[in-house]
Amino acid sequence: MSLGYAEKLSYIEDVGKVGMSEICDPLHVLQEKIERLAVMLRKSKHLVVFTGAGISTSCGIPDFRGPKGIWTLQREGKALPQASLPFHRAMPSMTHMALVELEKAGILKFVISQNIDGLHLRSGIPRDKLAELHGNSFMEICSSCGIEYLRDFEVETIGLKETSRRCSNVDCGAKLRDTVLDWEDALPPKEMNPAEKHCRMADVVLCLGTSLQITPACNLPLKSLRGGGKIVIVNLQETPKDKKASLVIHGFVDKVIAGVMDRLNMRIPPFVRIDLFQVILTHTLSSDKRFVNWILRVASVHGQKAPLPFIKYVEVSFLDGQNYKEAVLHKQPFQLKRRTVKTKIFEVLLKLNFSDGCGCLSSQIKVPIDFKVSTDCFNYDKDAILQKLRDTATGDPCCGRHEVIEKKPIPDPRSEATVYAIVTNVLQYNKTAPESNGSVMKGRLGGLNGIETSWKRSRSGKRKPRS
């Protein structure tokens, strides 16, 4: 295949980014290997992908053993990089979204990840086709009934400890736990068992951005060899498993996968992030029954005491010529208290000012104030509404669009909660680099709280074996 000027220029730029301990295949070799990988994926009947920290470095989340990795910098006595944006606003890479497309096409059967950033789930990989071996910084689980709760904020603990929230199952109510393992924790059978099963079934295990040094996880791809499967490794550094692999590609994961998708004539879908929040109206009659004392709250759908991380502050104004005092709500929980005449029906305008990492600065929502609270629960077709939001955002990349997905009464105190879905990021991808509708991609670096506290305790690379 002849190489165009753009491909050569892109390769030169990539080589300039390679660290001293990293390797990048010569351009003609890289192109040949990408062709081989595309053929392998086209023929594959049971593809399994095994991912490590290198798949998320382009999302601004540092790896561990790379030249700017957490462990490398610690070993050299250098300071860890400061986060320019919070961890919870990190967005999937080109590779994450390519895997989503491969799964939808029926090529990719299962994903095994060592990462705790939650980006595979956020990108759209189905939960039943994903094993998160080391946990998920945004996931809580009920140790009693097993229900999982995916949050939009980073869970405050690690090491499978109890958190401050409880299971919302009315028949349960047990305390929830985080899912991120500490070094002394064994890999959970719930994740490990399906991972082992699919590796045994795999005809190709594609290892992306992993040093394959953390045991016992690094031995999972080897289980495919007994059944005649092949291992492919894409990484900028050599790994201990290179000799077992049928194909080793030294290059940037995003560039390799983009090349594979191009040869398969498959698109890399855009990423549309949709966040949820609820507006709760609570009211009581005054003692003389002439007025209504009411409270308007903008709150998390994960509980009224849970943080709402993507909203910085809320501006409140009144429509229909209502002569009520405007307000700016800076402190969570965002809450406005007012007293009005009982018979009044009017609209409130909420201007939601978004936190750093969102694709636009703000969005406005009109909220009708009607004190005749319905006792009915209005359940909308949530999946259809969310898909419509994604389709609209993809066709016209713009954040801030929103829709109501649920209305429900709260009997005590008398309230009504309206749940909104709102588009907060739209990210388009091309062959060379992602394009964002906002400035999120400029110097994006996920917060290090979850990563640093989870992994800095040990560098042995060994975990407690399963009992």
Side-chain angles (χ1 to χ4, degrees):
M1 173 180 287
S2 61
L3 301 176
Y5 173 77
E7 288 178 298
K8 292 179 181 177
L9 182 61
S10 177
Y11 176 78
I12 293 171
E13 291 175 348
D14 286 346
V15 170
K17 299 173 187 175
V18 173
M20 293 294 291
S21 62
E22 297 175 327
I23 308 167
C24 196
D25 289 328
L27 181 55
H28 70 281
V29 175
L30 186 62
Q31 294 287 347
E32 290 173 2
K33 289 182 176 181
I34 289 173
E35 290 279 0
R36 287 177 58 190
L37 178 55
V39 171
M40 293 174 72
L41 297 195
R42 189 179 291 116
K43 294 180 178 180
S44 175
K45 302 297 183 184
H46 199 98
L47 170 66
V48 172
V49 171
F50 184 87
T51 67
I55 195 179
S56 296
T57 52
S58 62
C59 308
I61 301 174
D63 59 11
F64 302 100
R65 291 182 173 83
K68 296 182 181 179
I70 292 174
W71 292 344
T72 303
L73 295 176
Q74 287 179 333
R75 185 173 60 249
E76 295 173 353
K78 297 179 180 179
L80 297 180
Q82 294 296 311
S84 62
L85 288 175
F87 188 27
H88 63 81
R89 294 313 303 182
M91 290 189 287
S93 66
M94 186 183 301
T95 300
H96 286 100
M97 298 310 298
L99 296 182
V100 172
E101 190 71 4
L102 289 169
E103 187 278 324
K104 288 181 178 178
I107 298 172
L108 174 59
K109 304 301 184 184
F110 200 76
V111 176
I112 304 166
S113 181
Q114 302 169 94
N115 300 338
I116 62 168
D117 53 34
L119 289 177
H120 282 303
L121 269 183
R122 200 177 296 285
S123 67
I125 294 293
R127 182 66 179 99
D128 62 352
K129 295 187 178 181
L130 172 67
E132 294 180 305
L133 299 181
H134 299 155
N136 185 328
S137 292
F138 302 92
M139 183 81 76
E140 291 178 284
I141 189 169
C142 177
S143 54
S144 178
C145 69
I147 293 179
E148 293 179 333
Y149 296 86
L150 184 63
R151 307 303 191 186
D152 55 11
F153 55 88
E154 191 176 358
V155 178
E156 64 271 19
T157 62
I158 66 166
L160 311 181
K161 297 182 181 69
E162 288 185 351
T163 68
S164 59
R165 289 161 292 278
R166 291 184 175 273
C167 180
S168 59
N169 184 349
V170 293
D171 298 322
C172 182
K175 281 198 168 184
L176 301 180
R177 293 180 180 273
D178 73 80
T179 62
V180 176
L181 306 187
D182 213 337
W183 280 105
E184 64 269 16
D185 297 318
L187 295 182
K190 180 181 178 182
E191 308 296 328
M192 196 65 168
N193 289 344
E196 289 179 340
K197 170 190 169 184
H198 282 277
C199 282
R200 290 193 184 98
M201 297 170 63
D203 53 7
V204 177
V205 177
L206 175 58
C207 304
L208 300 176
T210 171
S211 62
L212 292 168
Q213 295 187 44
I214 304 296
T215 59
C218 67
N219 294 319
L220 281 170
L222 303 182
K223 295 184 182 297
S224 66
L225 298 177
R226 291 185 181 180
K230 296 178 180 180
I231 297 173
V232 178
I233 300 173
V234 182
N235 201 48
L236 281 170
Q237 296 172 307
E238 294 179 340
T239 82
K241 311 300 182 187
D242 284 359
K243 293 180 180 180
K244 300 285 187 180
S246 299
L247 177 63
V248 177
I249 304 176
H250 292 124
F252 287 92
V253 175
D254 279 350
K255 294 296 180 69
V256 171
I257 296 302
V260 169
M261 296 294 283
D262 186 47
R263 285 154 181 80
L264 293 175
N265 292 317
M266 296 180 69
R267 63 188 282 272
I268 298 177
F271 170 68
V272 178
R273 175 155 180 169
I274 297 177
D275 285 295
L276 306 180
F277 68 96
Q278 59 180 335
V279 175
I280 304 171
L281 177 63
T282 304
H283 59 88
T284 57
L285 282 175
S286 62
S287 56
D288 60 7
K289 301 189 185 305
R290 291 173 53 204
F291 299 96
V292 178
N293 301 313
W294 55 273
I295 302 173
L296 189 70
R297 282 172 290 176
V298 180
S300 169
V301 295
H302 302 290
Q304 293 185 33
K305 293 183 179 179
L308 196 57
F310 65 94
I311 298 180
K312 188 181 297 183
Y313 63 97
V314 179
E315 297 175 61
V316 185
S317 57
F318 295 84
L319 301 177
D320 303 325
Q322 299 297 322
N323 189 25
Y324 298 130
K325 186 178 179 181
E326 298 180 351
V328 180
L329 312 177
H330 286 283
K331 187 178 179 181
Q332 294 198 32
F334 301 117
Q335 183 170 286
L336 177 74
K337 294 182 179 180
R338 286 288 188 270
R339 166 184 275 210
T340 55
V341 177
K342 179 181 176 182
T343 56
K344 285 272 188 178
I345 297 176
F346 51 91
E347 283 187 315
V348 169
L349 182 65
L350 300 179
K351 183 179 180 182
L352 309 178
N353 294 273
F354 296 128
S355 62
D356 293 342
C358 294
C360 59
L361 296 176
S362 63
S363 181
Q364 293 185 338
I365 294 178
K366 293 180 181 180
V367 178
I369 302 296
D370 185 353
F371 301 120
K372 295 179 181 179
V373 176
S374 172
T375 57
D376 297 326
C377 185
F378 295 93
N379 289 313
Y380 298 76
D381 189 340
K382 180 178 176 180
D383 291 339
I385 293 172
L386 294 180
Q387 189 57 53
K388 182 181 177 182
L389 277 174
R390 290 189 190 96
D391 293 342
T392 304
T394 301
D396 180 15
C398 182
C399 293
R401 289 186 174 88
H402 55 271
E403 294 287 348
V404 174
I405 61 171
E406 185 182 2
K407 283 188 178 182
K408 55 187 177 182
I410 303 174
D412 188 24
R414 192 180 184 193
S415 310
E416 183 176 71
T418 304
V419 180
Y420 291 84
I422 189 166
V423 175
T424 54
N425 286 102
V426 182
L427 193 59
Q428 306 272 6
Y429 301 86
N430 58 37
K431 295 180 184 178
T432 56
E435 297 177 346
S436 172
N437 63 298
S439 60
V440 180
M441 296 305 298
K442 296 179 181 179
R444 255 184 324 130
L445 180 63
L448 300 180
N449 288 343
I451 300 172
E452 182 181 339
T453 55
S454 299
W455 305 119
K456 69 179 182 181
R457 302 175 189 274
S458 169
R459 297 189 187 92
S460 65
K462 294 182 180 180
R463 283 191 174 276
K464 181 179 177 182
R466 288 186 298 163
S467 55

